[in-house]
Amino acid sequence: MAIIVSACGEDTDLPNAINVPKDGGTFVVSDKGPSFYGLSISNYDGDQVGARPDPDLDPDDGTIADVESATFDWLTATAIYSEGKIIIKAEPNTTGKHRTLYVDVMIADSGHSIKIRQRD
């Protein structure tokens, strides 16, 4: 299983892209610190699914949830903001086609996308 992760030039350790094998899998990416927020998943057409707080960990005091997840088609991304970590889970590809989705976050006032490519 070959996984290719490429880093970006922004002030972050989050990658620009992850190549996922046909069999899928779970991948963890992390930043230098808990500096990102606003997790979502989008496709090439701009359709987007925003993250929702984990109902078991959602604070009742009005503060922002530390753990949020989003699922779009074959991909689930879970952010653990206090740890600066995103857990990305890709389902096996049984479509016979390459496919791509984007895990999007905000870093300071700029957007950052991780392109998730999966072979057929």
Side-chain angles (χ1 to χ4, degrees):
M1 171 191 298
I3 302 163
I4 298 172
V5 176
S6 61
C8 66
E10 297 172 10
D11 189 21
T12 181
D13 292 329
L14 295 175
N16 282 330
I18 298 174
N19 291 326
V20 177
K22 179 180 179 176
D23 295 336
T26 300
F27 312 91
V28 179
V29 296
S30 58
D31 199 7
K32 298 173 195 170
S35 59
F36 63 87
Y37 61 95
L39 176 79
S40 64
I41 300 175
S42 60
N43 65 13
Y44 181 78
D45 295 327
D47 300 321
Q48 186 176 51
V49 173
R52 303 275 184 219
D54 183 321
D56 295 329
L57 301 174
D58 190 22
D60 292 329
D61 61 3
T63 60
I64 296 172
D66 182 48
V67 179
E68 293 186 320
S69 291
T71 298
F72 191 123
D73 196 13
W74 51 272
L75 193 71
T76 298
T78 301
I80 305 172
Y81 295 116
S82 64
E83 296 178 19
K85 184 186 300 184
I86 302 172
I87 302 165
I88 300 168
K89 182 179 180 191
E91 297 297 325
N93 187 349
T94 58
T95 66
K97 299 177 183 177
H98 294 320
R99 56 191 186 178
T100 301
L101 287 173
Y102 302 85
V103 174
D104 306 307
V105 294
M106 293 296 295
I107 299 172
D109 292 330
S110 300
H112 179 79
S113 291
I114 304 170
K115 184 177 187 177
I116 310 296
R117 297 176 290 223
Q118 189 175 34
R119 302 175 186 256
D120 59 347

